[in-house]
Amino acid sequence: MKKKGFILLMALLLAGNGIKEPAAGAVCQKVDTAVSSETRALTTPSGISKDSSGRMYLADRFYHVLRIRDKNGTYSVLAGQEGKSGYQDGSATKALFHEPWDVVSYKKGWAVSDTENHVIRYFNGKTVKTIAGTGTKGYKNATGVKAKFNRPTGMAVGKDGEVYVSDTGNHVIRRIDQNGKVTVYAGNKSGCAEGTLKKARFYEPTGLYYYKGALYVADSGNHRICKIADGKVTTVAGSKKGLEGNAVGSAKKARFSNPQDIILYKNDVYISDTGNGSVKKLSKGKVTTVVEAFSLGENLAPAEPCGIMIKNGYLFVGDLFAEELLKIKL
């Protein structure tokens, strides 16, 4: 996954205990919001989901586990072995993941995209098992463990229970039906194009979100946000040509850098603009910045935002660089 725009930021953050003044030329914007660090434990959430009880589930990418945050803000490991990567099904404490990217509610448990193992796993609260993929990268439509993926990342569950998966290394969106059959839903080969499901082209798509019959895609390598509806793929924000940048304004003129997650809340689209160290919002055809690096003071604004979730009027942002979850009042 390309990560541009962080070299200067990382160097500054590593020099001492933080940044008290913005670097020369850095964008510094006042944001009318309150932010707090949500955990002292190290965590790198690239995917975040929630249940009806208010609990949050975190795919902790670099610590190779599935975590839960309860209603009191306490964190614990649900499945996997913290800090240990591998590929093993079995009980929650014995199972192994390798850079799990996303987690979504599925059937009576949770589906997890196990990116570097090239599979989709299922956690029922007690055990972890592979439901799609062979464990080696490839590109094959088949049922269940006979199918092949290449670095699956973002997921979304449709109204009929089908699971949509960003098959990032293959530059397509895959679909897993209720019988476990894996097919290509949209895309064909790498590129940047709108059009029908077969003619559309993506480049390293990541975050997905299903909303009112439409599937929204963070087409990370093309630095744009797409919408799939009525059999067509359109660009709803960013450059149709895949141009990278950092700009707000009208949806067509807005520019992103490797956006990696996306959610919808009250008809607005929230985007983790990872390469620009910011979270942006698309509302009524205009893109604005919600929060960005340097904007909220020392050690408070995200440096490498990825997983995002909104709950009870708060925006939760998983910062992969700072290794924590930020809580921002909207």
Side-chain angles (χ1 to χ4, degrees):
M1 201 64 66
K2 293 178 287 184
K3 294 181 179 179
K4 297 180 180 179
F6 286 106
I7 297 176
L8 175 61
L9 176 60
M10 288 182 179
L12 289 168
L13 286 171
L14 290 172
N17 296 320
I19 298 175
K20 296 184 178 180
E21 296 294 337
V27 177
C28 184
Q29 175 181 339
K30 291 183 179 180
V31 179
D32 185 17
T33 184
V35 64
S36 62
S37 176
E38 188 60 18
T39 178
R40 291 297 92 204
L42 297 179
T43 182
T44 55
S46 55
I48 308 172
S49 289
K50 61 183 178 181
D51 64 18
S52 58
S53 298
R55 294 170 296 190
M56 298 175 64
Y57 297 77
L58 315 175
D60 194 336
R61 189 192 303 185
F62 300 131
Y63 287 93
H64 313 294
V65 294
L66 177 63
R67 295 189 194 273
I68 186 171
R69 172 191 177 272
D70 66 22
K71 293 183 291 185
N72 298 319
T74 301
Y75 291 75
S76 57
V77 173
L78 277 179
Q81 300 178 42
E82 190 162 11
K84 183 178 181 180
S85 64
Y87 180 34
Q88 181 172 302
D89 286 341
S91 66
T93 57
K94 293 183 179 180
L96 292 173
F97 299 92
H98 192 181
E99 294 194 14
W101 204 98
D102 202 4
V103 53
V104 293
S105 177
Y106 179 61
K107 295 184 176 179
K108 294 183 180 181
W110 299 88
V112 181
S113 55
D114 193 0
T115 301
E116 294 303 325
N117 283 323
H118 315 289
V119 295
I120 306 301
R121 316 285 287 278
Y122 177 70
F123 176 62
N124 65 4
K126 295 181 179 180
T127 60
V128 175
K129 69 175 183 179
T130 301
I131 59 172
T134 65
T136 57
K137 67 180 178 181
Y139 189 22
K140 181 181 179 181
N141 290 325
T143 299
V145 295
K146 293 182 179 180
K148 287 190 175 183
F149 300 87
N150 184 354
R151 301 190 66 253
T153 56
M155 297 186 296
V157 178
K159 65 178 180 179
D160 296 324
E162 66 273 24
V163 180
Y164 297 96
V165 181
S166 280
D167 192 358
T168 304
N170 286 321
H171 313 290
V172 297
I173 309 301
R174 308 288 285 278
R175 180 180 183 269
I176 307 174
D177 69 17
Q178 293 187 31
N179 297 317
K181 185 178 180 181
V182 179
T183 56
V184 175
Y185 177 65
N188 189 313
K189 57 184 178 180
S190 64
C192 185
E194 299 180 311
T196 64
L197 298 181
K198 290 185 178 180
K199 291 184 178 181
R201 297 291 181 267
F202 304 96
Y203 189 72
E204 294 189 351
T206 53
L208 298 178
Y209 198 86
Y210 186 88
Y211 185 72
K212 293 184 177 180
L215 184 67
Y216 291 80
V217 183
D219 189 9
S220 185
N222 282 323
H223 318 291
R224 63 176 180 163
I225 305 303
C226 297
K227 178 181 179 180
I228 305 177
D230 300 322
K232 293 183 179 180
V233 177
T234 57
T235 302
V236 296
S239 168
K240 292 182 179 181
K241 297 181 179 180
L243 300 177
E244 184 177 12
N246 186 11
V248 295
S250 70
K252 292 182 179 180
K253 294 183 179 180
R255 294 293 179 264
F256 305 94
S257 177
N258 298 115
Q260 291 191 20
D261 202 12
I262 180 172
I263 62 172
L264 274 80
Y265 179 71
K266 295 183 178 179
N267 295 316
D268 295 332
V269 182
Y270 288 79
I271 304 148
S272 58
D273 190 8
T274 309
N276 286 320
S278 67
V279 177
K280 291 186 169 68
K281 180 176 74 170
L282 170 63
S283 180
K284 298 179 180 179
K286 292 185 178 181
V287 174
T288 57
T289 298
V290 178
V291 61
E292 63 186 356
F294 305 115
S295 65
L296 296 176
E298 182 178 351
N299 299 326
L300 292 179
E304 191 178 356
C306 191
I308 52 177
M309 172 58 62
I310 294 177
K311 186 169 76 74
N312 298 331
Y314 286 91
L315 172 68
F316 291 83
V317 182
D319 191 337
L320 300 184
F321 178 66
E323 298 190 355
E324 62 184 4
L325 187 67
L326 299 176
K327 180 181 177 182
I328 303 166
K329 185 174 178 59
L330 294 176

